[in-house]
Amino acid sequence: MQITWNQQVVKKENKTLVLDLIMNSFPISRADAAQKLGLNKGTVSSLVSELIDEKLIFESGPGESSGGRRPVMLLFNQNAGYSIGVDLGVNYIYGVLTDLLGNIILEKNTENPGLSYKDALREVNSLIQELIDSAPSSPYGIIGIGVGAPGIVNKEGDVLLAPNLGWRNVSLKRDLEHAFNLPVIVENEANAGAYGEKKFGVGKDYDNLIYISAGIGIGAGIIINGELYKGINGYSGEVGHMSIDFNGPKCSCGNNGCWELYASEQSLISKAGSFGLENEMTLEKIINLAASEDEDALSMLKETGRHLGLGIINIINAFNPKQIIIGNRLAAAKEWLSWDVKQTINKYTLPFHQTEIDISFSNLALPAAALGVSAFSIENFIKNQLQI
Amino acid sequence: MQITWNQQVVKKENKTLVLDLIMNSFPISRADAAQKLGLNKGTVSSLVSELIDEKLIFESGPGESSGGRRPVMLLFNQNAGYSIGVDLGVNYIYGVLTDLLGNIILEKNTENPGLSYKDALREVNSLIQELIDSAPSSPYGIIGIGVGAPGIVNKEGDVLLAPNLGWRNVSLKRDLEHAFNLPVIVENEANAGAYGEKKFGVGKDYDNLIYISAGIGIGAGIIINGELYKGINGYSGEVGHMSIDFNGPKCSCGNNGCWELYASEQSLISKAGSFGLENEMTLEKIINLAASEDEDALSMLKETGRHLGLGIINIINAFNPKQIIIGNRLAAAKEWLSWDVKQTINKYTLPFHQTEIDISFSNLALPAAALGVSAFSIENFIKNQLQI
DNA sequence: CCTTACTTTGTGCAATGGATAAACAAACTT
DNA sequence: AAGTTTGTTTATCCATTGCACAAAGTAAGG
């Protein structure tokens, strides 16, 4: 049995169009919406009155006249409910409570939670509970929880492997759903970041982009036609284990010369060792050294930039995206990486690709991963809400 | 102004569903179609009668009774029109005339046409004209022409660069449209092959696959959710220039250690040189040597298989597809490549990927590229036909 | 300041057209 | 003869549309 098409579907789709328009270009009048969407004024009026009944939008009062009757402006009711987004890091848990437009209402951070799944889950639960407790009252309450996790996540929301946390086959989504009785979405951290950047960050203007999450390891989130592409099982974007040197050193994954051995935070720290710098090196220390013009730090970063660029070239050749966003921890070193990344790409990419591609870095002030998963929850909620 | 939804759209979509069903599972009765699609019997009856009027389907007579009145079976009118697909190779032009189901009615081959664009275009024109002239008469006649070309093709159907033909910036689509006054589609050869395999070949059962066209160079066609993914400009799938060894030899593209320096037909022939085999080596000669158990040929092929596998691992990690199809010239050496390709992938891929992925080779009896572009033309035609 | 003509906004209502359910006729099986 | 299956017909439902219209504004002239 297939999806069939009938008038109910038409109505649902048109209602979605109207709501999307109000969400994206507010305030807007009924007449303006009708004209922009190509729908009849009456149709828009009737859909709008339903949306008002459902408390998803509201009338904000009269707008400016353009030579006739003053329009009644419509606003999306961003406080109709609240969403929670959690970025589950290796040594932190960061959570946000957002309104339905993704504006941050409240943020909470837990440093150095226990590594074991049991401990981490307890911390995540208590952080989420705090966020829930401090949410303002609203028609729909908390509409869902999104979590970004640093590992391989299947389409059922199980974390199959999170090497840096030592987790294997944990049913994170199911456990959280049981704890809170709310819709839960669990996504790979790179996918979450990709969507966060696409909705709220430097990827706002593009619908085809690839977000490179360069942290301890490297992962990628792939946005095609404005939607996350997850592959057949949800494992797409494992570009950290793309080999760029098949004669290179062994990687933990079994392959040789994986990209993340050359261009991740981990690799940068290892390079520090070979440069004879002190042990216990961190990305922050390296950046500080570079800021004070330390020659070794500068050339380590230059090399990392070149290696980042080499992998990005491979990605560009395969996907032909409109934009590449470099995010996560290494984005903090933008100032020292950017030139070498772009130079490498310009030098070694087919000329056709170069003219049109945009290479950007994340703005670290934006918690892209947490906002991305929060946005997923919001979209699910709205889709379900308009279902009938 | 956006696309808006109304009853006409509903009708068009339902009509498409009915026609698709009849195209894919024929013969089928009205009642059966209604049940399978979840549409009302009356709706199906009315859509079917329109499709019959448009000569896209016809009644083939009574079928088997299942305990009551015998059904009237419906068939897709595969002879309502004919489509042309051309595979433009480096030293051949191969064209097919197909019915609307992609069955080959006639094939024509031109060996060693002139290399210059002017010469090749003249040969292509005359081959297409011959196919047109021998098409049976039909309600819609020739419904379109598809061409697969070995090079970088943008979304406007210009061949921007075909290194092995020496073409640069030729407006192939426009020139053919002017010559025949028919809808023309020009696609990259790998994209054409991918779609051909997906529709008619070993990819029939899958909707997420990557076709590796391993010929003189290497390209890939990417099928996501049953549709060709072309990237923002149409340049996706340039995986031949994915570097698998950034310290490796220089490639003509400017990069180092590109995959096609290790795993293409060209590279295999070069390897022959380093093994001290005679000059003027060809893939066919190497295969013949391997068939007679020549040690050098066997180990050359083994190495090529391993190198093929290494690049495929990178592709799997990035895309997480359901299937990889190795096609074009090197597929002829399947017997000597298959084991090493699969072995390499098993050894070096993350275990999650391994369980579910299907690694296949093209069946060379199937002219995938020509059939793929022919299928594109057919789909365009049907989409336009149902537009009103 | 008032009047008049014109614009723009938003609602109400009949018409349109496509899907649906149910009744029904035709054709077949048991 | 009774029951089944197929395909058509008919009345009904429902969402969009176009148009009329009321409400609420602007602009210009006296």
Side-chain angles (χ1 to χ4, degrees):
Chain A
M1 184 97 110
Q2 240 170 305
I3 344 104
T4 144
W5 300 77
N6 53 35
Q7 295 182 83
Q8 286 81 280
V9 177
V10 167
K11 182 173 178 180
K12 197 191 80 190
E13 294 292 340
N14 282 335
K15 204 164 159 183
T16 305
L17 286 178
V18 170
L19 183 58
D20 278 353
L21 181 65
I22 296 173
M23 285 179 74
N24 292 321
S25 19
F26 55 95
I28 192 170
S29 68
R30 291 166 173 82
D32 209 5
Q35 198 256 315
K36 280 218 173 96
L37 293 173
L39 285 170
N40 187 279
K41 285 191 298 173
T43 307
V44 171
S45 264
S46 118
L47 295 173
V48 159
S49 87
E50 286 190 26
L51 289 168
I52 290 177
D53 287 347
E54 294 162 12
K55 310 231 182 271
L56 289 173
I57 63 175
F58 62 93
E59 297 183 329
S60 74
E64 292 278 296
S65 161
S66 61
R69 172 175 166 180
R70 293 172 68 189
V72 178
M73 302 315 271
L74 301 168
L75 285 183
F76 177 58
N77 185 7
Q78 57 197 84
N79 299 312
Y82 296 91
S83 174
I84 288 173
V86 178
D87 179 1
L88 201 55
V90 173
N91 44 15
Y92 65 90
I93 302 172
Y94 170 81
V96 289
L97 178 76
T98 74
D99 65 22
L100 297 184
L101 280 177
N103 297 308
I104 297 178
I105 306 295
L106 192 69
E107 32 187 350
K108 292 259 175 200
N109 204 25
T110 305
E111 300 278 347
N112 298 311
L115 266 182
S116 82
Y117 179 61
K118 213 180 123 201
D119 292 350
L121 186 62
R122 195 178 46 238
E123 295 285 350
V124 169
N125 273 333
S126 98
L127 182 137
I128 291 176
Q129 191 61 55
E130 283 182 59
L131 291 170
I132 290 178
D133 291 343
S134 34
S137 82
S138 60
Y140 291 99
I142 302 292
I143 54 86
I145 299 167
V147 181
I152 295 183
V153 180
N154 69 10
K155 289 193 169 174
E156 283 71 46
D158 303 322
V159 180
L160 299 185
L161 180 67
N164 298 316
L165 292 168
W167 296 359
R168 209 172 257 279
N169 256 314
V170 296
S171 301
L172 183 52
K173 172 175 156 149
R174 206 193 50 199
D175 292 343
L176 289 174
E177 275 174 342
H178 284 177
F180 295 102
N181 202 23
L182 284 171
V184 173
I185 288 170
V186 178
E187 268 300 340
N188 170 309
E189 169 267 329
N191 286 347
Y195 204 63
E197 291 291 347
K198 190 254 168 298
K199 291 275 289 187
F200 308 109
V202 291
K204 232 181 307 193
D205 298 334
Y206 303 119
D207 270 349
N208 288 71
L209 62 88
I210 297 192
Y211 171 85
I212 312 284
S213 167
I216 304 277
I218 301 184
I222 301 160
I223 306 282
I224 290 178
N225 297 331
E227 285 179 16
L228 189 63
Y229 170 73
K230 298 169 65 165
I232 191 82
N233 298 311
Y235 316 151
S236 72
E238 285 297 326
V239 293
H241 298 291
M242 167 178 74
S243 170
I244 58 169
D245 180 4
F246 67 88
N247 292 315
K250 200 92 189 161
C251 174
S252 61
C253 76
N255 205 344
N256 301 86
C258 290
W259 190 26
E260 67 179 42
L261 300 178
Y262 298 89
S264 64
E265 180 183 6
Q266 184 66 56
S267 78
L268 184 63
I269 292 171
S270 308
K271 281 174 191 168
S274 74
F275 269 86
L277 290 177
E278 56 171 311
N279 276 347
E280 299 283 323
M281 211 56 195
T282 65
L283 176 61
E284 285 73 16
K285 287 185 192 168
I286 295 172
I287 289 178
N288 282 337
L289 283 173
S292 56
E293 310 250 330
D294 177 275
E295 287 289 334
D296 287 348
L298 287 172
S299 59
M300 278 158 50
L301 284 166
K302 268 186 96 65
E303 196 180 51
T304 301
R306 279 196 300 273
H307 287 152
L308 257 180
L310 289 173
I312 290 174
I313 292 169
N314 286 357
I315 292 172
I316 293 173
N317 278 326
F319 286 95
N320 182 212
K322 182 67 197 165
Q323 186 186 36
I324 298 278
I325 302 174
I326 299 164
N328 207 339
R329 303 260 304 154
L330 277 192
K334 168 181 178 178
E335 194 178 326
W336 299 276
L337 294 172
S338 183
W339 192 86
D340 286 285
V341 169
K342 290 182 185 171
Q343 188 64 14
T344 306
I345 292 171
N346 282 338
K347 199 161 158 199
Y348 295 127
T349 311
L350 297 169
F352 310 102
H353 285 307
Q354 291 174 24
T355 48
E356 310 226 25
I357 195 150
D358 174 316
I359 311 283
S360 300
F361 282 73
S362 288
N363 172 359
L364 286 182
L366 185 89
L371 288 178
V373 281
S374 176
F376 276 133
S377 278
I378 294 168
E379 274 166 30
N380 263 7
F381 162 72
I382 288 179
K383 208 173 70 191
N384 289 332
Q385 211 53 34
L386 296 180
Q387 205 63 266
I388 315 145
Chain B
M1 185 96 110
Q2 238 169 307
I3 342 104
T4 144
W5 299 78
N6 51 36
Q7 293 183 86
Q8 286 79 277
V9 177
V10 168
K11 181 173 179 181
K12 198 191 79 189
E13 294 292 339
N14 282 335
K15 202 163 160 184
T16 305
L17 286 177
V18 170
L19 183 58
D20 279 353
L21 181 66
I22 297 174
M23 285 180 74
N24 293 320
S25 18
F26 54 96
I28 192 169
S29 68
R30 290 168 175 80
D32 209 4
Q35 199 256 315
K36 281 221 173 94
L37 294 174
L39 285 171
N40 188 278
K41 286 192 297 175
T43 307
V44 172
S45 264
S46 119
L47 294 174
V48 159
S49 87
E50 285 190 28
L51 288 169
I52 290 177
D53 288 347
E54 293 162 14
K55 309 231 183 269
L56 290 173
I57 64 175
F58 62 94
E59 297 182 328
S60 74
E64 291 279 296
S65 162
S66 62
R69 168 172 167 182
R70 293 171 67 188
V72 179
M73 302 316 270
L74 302 169
L75 285 182
F76 176 59
N77 186 7
Q78 58 197 84
N79 299 313
Y82 297 91
S83 174
I84 288 174
V86 178
D87 178 2
L88 201 55
V90 173
N91 44 17
Y92 65 90
I93 302 172
Y94 170 81
V96 289
L97 178 75
T98 75
D99 67 21
L100 297 185
L101 281 176
N103 297 308
I104 296 176
I105 305 296
L106 193 69
E107 34 188 346
K108 292 260 173 197
N109 204 24
T110 303
E111 301 276 348
N112 298 312
L115 265 183
S116 81
Y117 179 62
K118 211 179 126 201
D119 290 351
L121 186 63
R122 194 178 48 237
E123 295 286 348
V124 169
N125 273 334
S126 99
L127 181 137
I128 291 175
Q129 191 61 56
E130 282 182 60
L131 291 170
I132 291 177
D133 290 343
S134 34
S137 82
S138 60
Y140 291 100
I142 302 292
I143 53 86
I145 298 167
V147 181
I152 295 183
V153 180
N154 68 9
K155 289 192 168 174
E156 283 71 46
D158 304 321
V159 180
L160 298 185
L161 179 67
N164 297 316
L165 292 168
W167 297 358
R168 209 172 256 280
N169 256 314
V170 296
S171 301
L172 183 52
K173 174 175 154 148
R174 205 194 51 202
D175 291 343
L176 289 173
E177 275 175 343
H178 283 177
F180 295 103
N181 202 23
L182 284 171
V184 173
I185 288 170
V186 178
E187 268 299 339
N188 169 309
E189 168 268 326
N191 287 346
Y195 204 65
E197 291 291 347
K198 191 257 168 296
K199 292 277 288 188
F200 309 109
V202 291
K204 232 183 303 194
D205 299 334
Y206 302 119
D207 270 348
N208 288 73
L209 63 88
I210 297 192
Y211 171 85
I212 312 284
S213 168
I216 305 277
I218 300 184
I222 301 160
I223 307 281
I224 291 178
N225 296 330
E227 286 180 15
L228 189 62
Y229 169 74
K230 299 169 65 164
I232 191 80
N233 299 311
Y235 315 150
S236 73
E238 285 297 326
V239 294
H241 297 292
M242 168 178 71
S243 169
I244 58 170
D245 180 3
F246 67 88
N247 293 313
K250 200 91 192 162
C251 174
S252 62
C253 76
N255 205 344
N256 300 87
C258 290
W259 190 26
E260 67 178 43
L261 300 179
Y262 299 89
S264 64
E265 180 183 8
Q266 184 66 57
S267 77
L268 184 64
I269 292 171
S270 307
K271 281 173 191 169
S274 72
F275 269 86
L277 291 176
E278 57 171 310
N279 278 345
E280 299 282 324
M281 211 56 193
T282 65
L283 175 63
E284 285 73 17
K285 288 186 191 167
I286 295 172
I287 289 178
N288 281 338
L289 284 173
S292 56
E293 311 248 331
D294 177 275
E295 288 289 333
D296 288 346
L298 288 173
S299 58
M300 277 160 49
L301 285 165
K302 269 187 98 62
E303 195 180 51
T304 301
R306 278 196 300 274
H307 287 153
L308 258 178
L310 289 173
I312 289 174
I313 292 169
N314 287 357
I315 291 171
I316 293 174
N317 278 326
F319 285 96
N320 182 211
K322 183 67 197 163
Q323 187 186 36
I324 297 279
I325 302 174
I326 299 162
N328 206 340
R329 302 261 304 156
L330 277 192
K334 168 181 179 179
E335 194 177 326
W336 298 275
L337 294 172
S338 182
W339 192 87
D340 286 285
V341 169
K342 291 181 184 171
Q343 188 65 15
T344 306
I345 292 170
N346 283 337
K347 200 161 157 198
Y348 296 128
T349 310
L350 296 170
F352 310 101
H353 285 307
Q354 290 173 24
T355 49
E356 309 227 25
I357 196 152
D358 175 315
I359 311 284
S360 300
F361 283 74
S362 287
N363 173 358
L364 285 182
L366 184 89
L371 288 178
V373 281
S374 176
F376 276 133
S377 278
I378 294 167
E379 275 165 31
N380 262 6
F381 162 72
I382 287 179
K383 209 173 70 191
N384 289 332
Q385 211 54 34
L386 295 180
Q387 204 64 264
I388 313 147

mmCIF file of all heavy atoms in Angstrom, chain A residues 352-368:
data_model
loop_
_atom_site.group_PDB
_atom_site.id
_atom_site.type_symbol
_atom_site.label_atom_id
_atom_site.label_comp_id
_atom_site.label_asym_id
_atom_site.label_seq_id
_atom_site.Cartn_x
_atom_site.Cartn_y
_atom_site.Cartn_z
ATOM 1 N N PHE A 352 36.835 23.702 -12.222
ATOM 2 C CA PHE A 352 35.380 23.898 -12.244
ATOM 3 C C PHE A 352 34.813 24.051 -10.852
ATOM 4 O O PHE A 352 33.885 24.788 -10.610
ATOM 5 C CB PHE A 352 34.702 22.722 -12.932
ATOM 6 C CG PHE A 352 35.319 22.418 -14.247
ATOM 7 C CD1 PHE A 352 36.184 21.358 -14.388
ATOM 8 C CD2 PHE A 352 35.075 23.235 -15.332
ATOM 9 C CE1 PHE A 352 36.780 21.102 -15.596
ATOM 10 C CE2 PHE A 352 35.669 22.982 -16.542
ATOM 11 C CZ PHE A 352 36.523 21.905 -16.679
ATOM 12 N N HIS A 353 35.379 23.295 -9.909
ATOM 13 C CA HIS A 353 34.852 23.347 -8.559
ATOM 14 C C HIS A 353 35.174 24.674 -7.877
ATOM 15 O O HIS A 353 34.418 25.162 -7.061
ATOM 16 C CB HIS A 353 35.451 22.218 -7.725
ATOM 17 C CG HIS A 353 34.874 20.884 -8.033
ATOM 18 N ND1 HIS A 353 33.525 20.655 -8.014
ATOM 19 C CD2 HIS A 353 35.451 19.705 -8.348
ATOM 20 C CE1 HIS A 353 33.306 19.380 -8.315
ATOM 21 N NE2 HIS A 353 34.447 18.795 -8.532
ATOM 22 N N GLN A 354 36.328 25.226 -8.205
ATOM 23 C CA GLN A 354 36.842 26.326 -7.398
ATOM 24 C C GLN A 354 35.983 27.572 -7.444
ATOM 25 O O GLN A 354 35.799 28.253 -6.447
ATOM 26 C CB GLN A 354 38.248 26.689 -7.867
ATOM 27 C CG GLN A 354 39.249 25.610 -7.538
ATOM 28 C CD GLN A 354 40.590 25.909 -8.140
ATOM 29 O OE1 GLN A 354 40.905 27.058 -8.412
ATOM 30 N NE2 GLN A 354 41.386 24.892 -8.354
ATOM 31 N N THR A 355 35.486 27.877 -8.625
ATOM 32 C CA THR A 355 34.811 29.158 -8.794
ATOM 33 C C THR A 355 33.649 29.329 -7.828
ATOM 34 O O THR A 355 33.404 30.415 -7.337
ATOM 35 C CB THR A 355 34.257 29.285 -10.216
ATOM 36 O OG1 THR A 355 33.560 28.084 -10.519
ATOM 37 C CG2 THR A 355 35.378 29.461 -11.210
ATOM 38 N N GLU A 356 32.956 28.252 -7.558
ATOM 39 C CA GLU A 356 31.669 28.431 -6.903
ATOM 40 C C GLU A 356 31.631 28.000 -5.448
ATOM 41 O O GLU A 356 30.641 28.226 -4.778
ATOM 42 C CB GLU A 356 30.606 27.630 -7.665
ATOM 43 C CG GLU A 356 30.629 27.908 -9.138
ATOM 44 C CD GLU A 356 29.240 28.131 -9.679
ATOM 45 O OE1 GLU A 356 28.367 28.522 -8.887
ATOM 46 O OE2 GLU A 356 29.039 27.911 -10.874
ATOM 47 N N ILE A 357 32.687 27.377 -4.964
ATOM 48 C CA ILE A 357 32.553 26.802 -3.637
ATOM 49 C C ILE A 357 32.925 27.786 -2.533
ATOM 50 O O ILE A 357 33.812 28.611 -2.695
ATOM 51 C CB ILE A 357 33.371 25.501 -3.519
ATOM 52 C CG1 ILE A 357 32.918 24.740 -2.289
ATOM 53 C CG2 ILE A 357 34.849 25.800 -3.458
ATOM 54 C CD1 ILE A 357 33.078 23.267 -2.437
ATOM 55 N N ASP A 358 32.224 27.672 -1.444
ATOM 56 C CA ASP A 358 32.410 28.544 -0.294
ATOM 57 C C ASP A 358 33.020 27.712 0.831
ATOM 58 O O ASP A 358 32.450 26.704 1.234
ATOM 59 C CB ASP A 358 31.019 29.081 0.084
ATOM 60 C CG ASP A 358 31.012 29.913 1.362
ATOM 61 O OD1 ASP A 358 31.654 29.511 2.357
ATOM 62 O OD2 ASP A 358 30.328 30.935 1.372
ATOM 63 N N ILE A 359 34.204 28.105 1.296
ATOM 64 C CA ILE A 359 34.851 27.392 2.403
ATOM 65 C C ILE A 359 34.732 28.260 3.650
ATOM 66 O O ILE A 359 35.261 29.372 3.682
ATOM 67 C CB ILE A 359 36.349 27.148 2.113
ATOM 68 C CG1 ILE A 359 36.559 26.540 0.724
ATOM 69 C CG2 ILE A 359 36.987 26.317 3.223
ATOM 70 C CD1 ILE A 359 36.248 25.095 0.628
ATOM 71 N N SER A 360 34.008 27.793 4.649
ATOM 72 C CA SER A 360 33.784 28.608 5.843
ATOM 73 C C SER A 360 34.160 27.849 7.108
ATOM 74 O O SER A 360 34.272 26.618 7.096
ATOM 75 C CB SER A 360 32.313 29.001 5.939
ATOM 76 O OG SER A 360 31.922 29.746 4.819
ATOM 77 N N PHE A 361 34.331 28.585 8.167
ATOM 78 C CA PHE A 361 34.540 27.983 9.488
ATOM 79 C C PHE A 361 33.320 28.281 10.352
ATOM 80 O O PHE A 361 32.668 29.311 10.198
ATOM 81 C CB PHE A 361 35.795 28.568 10.147
ATOM 82 C CG PHE A 361 37.076 27.995 9.614
ATOM 83 C CD1 PHE A 361 37.535 28.353 8.338
ATOM 84 C CD2 PHE A 361 37.830 27.110 10.361
ATOM 85 C CE1 PHE A 361 38.722 27.831 7.840
ATOM 86 C CE2 PHE A 361 39.018 26.585 9.873
ATOM 87 C CZ PHE A 361 39.457 26.943 8.599
ATOM 88 N N SER A 362 33.038 27.374 11.273
ATOM 89 C CA SER A 362 31.970 27.617 12.240
ATOM 90 C C SER A 362 32.304 28.828 13.088
ATOM 91 O O SER A 362 33.462 29.092 13.379
ATOM 92 C CB SER A 362 31.835 26.433 13.200
ATOM 93 O OG SER A 362 31.294 25.345 12.568
ATOM 94 N N ASN A 363 31.259 29.511 13.503
ATOM 95 C CA ASN A 363 31.398 30.508 14.548
ATOM 96 C C ASN A 363 31.193 29.780 15.868
ATOM 97 O O ASN A 363 30.111 29.278 16.150
ATOM 98 C CB ASN A 363 30.345 31.587 14.357
ATOM 99 C CG ASN A 363 30.311 32.558 15.507
ATOM 100 O OD1 ASN A 363 31.067 32.428 16.476
ATOM 101 N ND2 ASN A 363 29.434 33.533 15.402
ATOM 102 N N LEU A 364 32.245 29.725 16.680
ATOM 103 C CA LEU A 364 32.172 28.866 17.868
ATOM 104 C C LEU A 364 31.232 29.397 18.929
ATOM 105 O O LEU A 364 30.850 28.679 19.854
ATOM 106 C CB LEU A 364 33.560 28.654 18.445
ATOM 107 C CG LEU A 364 34.400 27.695 17.601
ATOM 108 C CD1 LEU A 364 35.747 27.479 18.237
ATOM 109 C CD2 LEU A 364 33.675 26.359 17.450
ATOM 110 N N ALA A 365 30.806 30.664 18.784
ATOM 111 C CA ALA A 365 29.840 31.185 19.751
ATOM 112 C C ALA A 365 28.496 30.475 19.582
ATOM 113 O O ALA A 365 27.654 30.505 20.473
ATOM 114 C CB ALA A 365 29.675 32.680 19.564
ATOM 115 N N LEU A 366 28.303 29.848 18.425
ATOM 116 C CA LEU A 366 27.035 29.162 18.157
ATOM 117 C C LEU A 366 27.147 27.682 18.519
ATOM 118 O O LEU A 366 27.965 26.971 17.942
ATOM 119 C CB LEU A 366 26.709 29.288 16.672
ATOM 120 C CG LEU A 366 25.353 28.731 16.254
ATOM 121 C CD1 LEU A 366 24.300 29.818 16.367
ATOM 122 C CD2 LEU A 366 25.403 28.212 14.824
ATOM 123 N N PRO A 367 26.344 27.218 19.468
ATOM 124 C CA PRO A 367 26.394 25.787 19.804
ATOM 125 C C PRO A 367 25.631 24.988 18.756
ATOM 126 O O PRO A 367 24.496 24.543 18.976
ATOM 127 C CB PRO A 367 25.723 25.729 21.179
ATOM 128 C CG PRO A 367 24.827 26.922 21.222
ATOM 129 C CD PRO A 367 25.368 27.949 20.287
ATOM 130 N N ALA A 368 26.289 24.770 17.618
ATOM 131 C CA ALA A 368 25.593 24.232 16.437
ATOM 132 C C ALA A 368 24.978 22.859 16.699
ATOM 133 O O ALA A 368 23.840 22.596 16.298
ATOM 134 C CB ALA A 368 26.555 24.168 15.259
#
